[in-house]
Amino acid sequence: MISNDELCNAFAKKKGILQTYELYDLGLSKYEIKNLLQADVLERIMKGYFKLAAKDFTEAELIQRLYPDSVICMDSALFYYGYSDRTPIEWYLAVDKDISKARFNIDYPQIKPYYLEPYLLKLGVENGLFEQLHLKIFSRDRVICDCLFYEMKMDIEIFNKAILNYIKDPQKNISKLMEYAKVRKVEKKVYNKIGTWL
């Protein structure tokens, strides 16, 4: 049986989260893992992912560790940029369309995944500061293009506020907006919804 120190060191090396196979690699059996869960030494974050029960993570830390390839998008990004005053109850994450849907069966934090083609996950990505951590986020211009793309699925009030706040934003970059609009195939919507205000 692995010692407490060895277990703590193993978690520390992996930034506090281990997957089932990594616990097996440490020499733990399924039975021993079950006992550690019952003894409140380990805590299951979601299927196949564990942390030490004594260790608490912020939501941003969990996003960073569980979904390192995701990008903050849609309502979460709109709130971050001040384009929406509604605090999202879920983290809106853009992820690879081929990722396992089971990875988002998690109680905390709540996740709303947007499944995208891999090339779209690289378009207009910046770093945002969330709870003192840098997470990938789509730029303000990219987010507006996504809002235009998903307009029919969005709350109309959130959509309208986002567009108006973007128009007023001195940090907007119209050339980037048009570049992303072309890729997202929303150029016509940009002209119709935003063009008259520019």
Side-chain angles (χ1 to χ4, degrees):
M1 178 75 173
I2 189 170
S3 72
N4 266 352
D5 284 346
E6 290 172 313
L7 190 62
C8 289
N9 286 339
F11 273 96
K13 285 178 187 171
K14 290 290 190 167
K15 298 185 178 179
I17 294 175
L18 291 176
Q19 294 185 53
T20 307
Y21 78 89
E22 292 170 311
L23 293 175
Y24 290 155
D25 287 348
L26 292 172
L28 291 170
S29 66
K30 193 181 272 190
Y31 175 76
E32 288 169 324
I33 293 169
K34 184 179 176 184
N35 284 344
L36 289 170
L37 286 166
Q38 289 174 344
D40 290 328
V41 174
L42 293 183
E43 187 177 307
R44 184 180 280 110
I45 300 170
M46 62 180 185
K47 187 175 180 181
Y49 290 81
F50 300 85
K51 72 177 187 71
L52 292 172
K55 171 68 176 163
D56 287 324
F57 289 104
T58 66
E59 290 188 7
E61 285 175 319
L62 286 171
I63 297 296
Q64 187 185 61
R65 287 163 173 76
L66 296 173
Y67 311 107
D69 298 329
S70 67
V71 184
I72 307 292
C73 68
M74 298 304 292
D75 294 37
S76 295
L78 292 175
F79 184 76
Y80 179 84
Y81 291 122
Y83 292 172
S84 171
D85 54 9
R86 282 199 212 170
T87 307
I89 59 168
E90 301 168 298
W91 286 78
Y92 287 66
L93 300 180
V95 296
D96 189 313
K97 70 176 184 63
D98 295 323
I99 198 170
S100 167
K101 309 293 187 276
R103 284 192 58 199
F104 301 99
N105 292 338
I106 183 171
D107 294 328
Y108 175 86
Q110 293 182 48
I111 306 294
K112 168 78 173 169
Y114 277 74
Y115 300 99
L116 302 179
E117 295 286 345
Y119 76 93
L120 289 173
L121 290 175
K122 298 172 184 168
L123 186 71
V125 176
E126 298 180 349
N127 277 319
L129 195 61
F130 294 83
E131 301 167 2
Q132 308 306 311
L133 288 175
H134 288 282
L135 300 178
K136 290 186 287 187
I137 185 170
F138 287 133
S139 71
R140 58 195 73 226
D141 311 293
R142 164 65 196 272
V143 170
I144 291 302
C145 287
D146 286 346
C147 287
L148 292 167
F149 186 86
Y150 293 112
E151 179 183 0
M152 301 313 292
K153 295 181 179 179
M154 287 185 69
D155 177 286
I156 189 68
E157 187 182 338
I158 290 176
F159 176 83
N160 287 335
K161 272 189 181 175
I163 298 298
L164 288 173
N165 284 323
Y166 177 78
I167 290 164
K168 293 186 283 186
D169 188 351
Q171 294 185 65
K172 67 182 175 292
N173 184 328
I174 300 304
S175 63
K176 283 289 183 187
L177 176 73
M178 296 313 298
E179 177 188 327
Y180 303 145
K182 186 174 184 179
V183 177
R184 294 298 271 146
K185 297 179 174 53
V186 292
E187 290 170 288
K188 190 174 179 183
K189 284 190 169 190
V190 168
Y191 290 122
N192 290 341
K193 303 277 185 182
I194 297 172
T196 55
W197 299 95
L198 302 175

